[in-house]
Amino acid sequence: MKKIFLSLILLAGTMTSIVSCSDEKLDPQASSSSINMTSPTGGSFVLTGTTAGNNAFTASWTPAEFGFSSSVTYSLQAVKSTDSFSNSSQAIVLGTYSSDADVNEKAVTQRILNNLLLSAGGSIGTSGSFKLRIIGKPSTQLSSSTNGVSAVSNEVTITATPYDTFDEFQKLYLPGSYGGASTFADWSGAGNSATIFSAGNDGKYEGFVWMNVSSPEFKFNSDPTWSGNDKGESSADGSFTGNLGGSNIKPADGAGTYFFTVNWPALTYTMAKRQVAIIGQATPNGWGSPTYLTFDTNPASPYYRMYTLDLALTNDEFLIRLKDDWSVKMGTLSGNTENTTTGGQYKIKLNGGNMKVPAAGNYKVVLDIRNSANYNLRLMPQ
């Protein structure tokens, strides 16, 4: 009996040793120097909205070494040069490559680099110093893994001046008598007026403008300084002139939010007053009655000139409704019911599908419809 018991102990020890060795092989450790970023090696980069699609640089690096063959997902991280990298540092995925490849590379456009630097805390219009590095992880590794492996490259310092992402798109200005009451300036000739955008950069614009006066008047203007000849003042409902001779456009429905479409080459436009509200089973009023959002007029707010509301939401569906007869709404890009993201920008479109709150809770609903190329919604946990 004693011999049997002793044999069991020896067998258990052997099995423990085997499992331990197996765990070490399943959880290899990558050296922090196992990736060498060979490009860029530094330098200064000029970023502009008009050249957003051009390449800023081509990132190149040597493959990560994990001690076993696998496909590896590589990401480019950035922080201000005065900050330190962490697991939460902002990053963009460069792609997934075989670990057997000799050298990996990926072109990084000015738009991608600009978004990365802005998310890392860069200031629009201000030259800054940033650190870049590349991280590689096995593509099969879960992002939530607490004992996962990664390979980290050397750090490279660059300088760059981020631009306002609005500058990627053609703007049309709407100076008018409502400006001073709506966070802008009355009849501003210095560009301090509401704008609408051309998502296709093709002279066709759309957008929402909040006009907080009872009898607003305005003109279309492609030049914020009033120095050109194509001011686009109104000549009749639905059309306007391309010179200084037209009269003011006068919306008849008083104060509120207006939606515009403008075809600049054809000198035509449409204009309609809209409500801005959230509605759906996820809201306190259900699908029966909308809950209206408020235009944020506080310049110190991170949601300045967006529509916001603090609201308790359930784990259910909702839409942004812009007209009571349901003919105009905003929802998912796919047109299907989708879970929204929590905290991040969730892109939406006119007449999209139902959105769904991912988890019940108290949220700040933030609707950003300043730029027709990037209508988006945020659910910020409170």
Side-chain angles (χ1 to χ4, degrees):
M1 186 67 181
K2 288 182 178 179
K3 290 182 178 180
I4 295 174
F5 184 68
L6 180 59
S7 297
L8 289 173
I9 292 175
L10 291 173
L11 179 60
T14 301
M15 292 301 295
T16 301
S17 176
I18 292 173
V19 170
S20 176
C21 291
S22 176
D23 283 347
E24 288 177 359
K25 291 180 180 179
L26 290 173
D27 191 21
Q29 297 300 312
S31 165
S32 62
S33 61
S34 60
I35 300 177
N36 179 34
M37 184 163 60
T38 56
S39 175
T41 57
S44 298
F45 297 91
V46 178
L47 310 177
T48 67
T50 55
T51 56
N54 295 350
N55 287 344
F57 56 75
T58 297
S60 301
W61 63 95
T62 57
E65 298 291 344
F66 295 114
F68 59 94
S69 181
S70 70
S71 60
V72 184
T73 299
Y74 294 95
S75 299
L76 180 68
Q77 285 188 320
V79 294
K80 289 183 178 179
S81 59
T82 54
D83 294 339
S84 298
F85 284 104
S86 68
N87 291 333
S88 61
S89 297
Q90 298 297 326
I92 55 168
V93 175
L94 295 170
T96 300
Y97 303 83
S98 169
S99 60
D100 296 328
D102 292 331
V103 177
N104 304 303
E105 62 179 31
K106 174 72 172 181
V108 177
T109 65
Q110 292 186 29
R111 176 180 293 110
I112 291 173
L113 179 60
N114 187 70
N115 290 339
L116 180 61
L117 299 184
L118 287 175
S119 64
S123 298
I124 293 171
T126 301
S127 178
S129 180
F130 302 88
K131 293 186 295 188
L132 303 177
R133 74 176 185 180
I134 291 175
I135 287 186
K137 295 182 179 180
S139 59
T140 55
Q141 180 171 287
L142 296 176
S143 59
S144 59
S145 176
T146 58
N147 64 341
V149 297
S150 63
V152 183
S153 79
N154 52 306
E155 296 179 5
V156 171
T157 301
I158 66 167
T159 58
T161 304
Y163 62 83
D164 191 332
T165 55
F166 284 5
D167 292 339
E168 294 183 26
F169 307 97
Q170 296 173 355
K171 298 179 183 178
L172 192 62
Y173 298 85
L174 281 74
S177 64
Y178 68 91
S182 307
T183 76
F184 297 100
D186 289 346
W187 296 110
S188 174
N192 189 15
S193 58
T195 52
I196 57 176
F197 293 83
S198 174
N201 284 330
D202 55 4
K204 297 177 182 179
Y205 303 83
E206 72 172 46
F208 296 84
V209 178
W210 185 57
M211 297 184 171
N212 192 34
V213 294
S214 58
S215 299
E217 298 184 23
F218 72 95
K219 295 179 179 179
F220 294 117
N221 187 349
S222 65
D223 182 352
T225 65
W226 296 99
S227 61
N229 292 322
D230 55 344
K231 297 298 183 284
E233 287 85 344
S234 171
S235 59
D237 282 349
S239 65
F240 55 89
T241 67
N243 54 56
L244 293 173
S247 58
N248 295 349
I249 301 174
K250 301 177 181 179
D253 293 326
T257 297
Y258 287 84
F259 178 70
F260 296 91
T261 66
V262 178
N263 187 325
W264 191 257
L267 301 179
T268 59
Y269 72 94
T270 66
M271 172 178 63
K273 193 173 183 180
R274 294 288 181 246
Q275 64 177 356
V276 181
I278 184 172
I279 191 170
Q281 202 57 43
T283 70
N285 296 332
W287 290 108
S289 179
T291 304
Y292 295 96
L293 279 63
T294 302
F295 190 81
D296 191 332
T297 60
N298 180 10
S301 168
Y303 312 118
Y304 184 45
R305 293 174 178 166
M306 304 180 199
Y307 293 81
T308 69
L309 180 69
D310 292 338
L311 196 63
L313 299 173
T314 63
N315 177 216
D316 218 317
E317 297 179 19
F318 70 97
L319 284 167
I320 297 298
R321 195 169 78 174
L322 302 170
K323 197 174 180 184
D324 282 335
D325 64 4
W326 291 98
S327 62
V328 190
K329 54 189 175 65
M330 301 188 89
T332 66
L333 295 181
S334 68
N336 301 318
T337 299
E338 295 179 3
N339 282 329
T340 58
T341 54
T342 299
Q345 293 188 12
Y346 182 80
K347 293 197 72 169
I348 59 177
K349 69 176 183 178
L350 287 166
N351 299 318
N354 288 3
M355 296 171 281
K356 190 173 182 180
V357 178
N362 295 319
Y363 293 91
K364 179 179 285 292
V365 180
V366 181
L367 178 66
D368 184 356
I369 50 177
R370 296 171 298 165
N371 184 349
S372 58
N374 187 32
Y375 293 142
N376 64 83
L377 179 94
R378 278 171 266 188
L379 297 181
M380 308 300 295
Q382 300 297 291

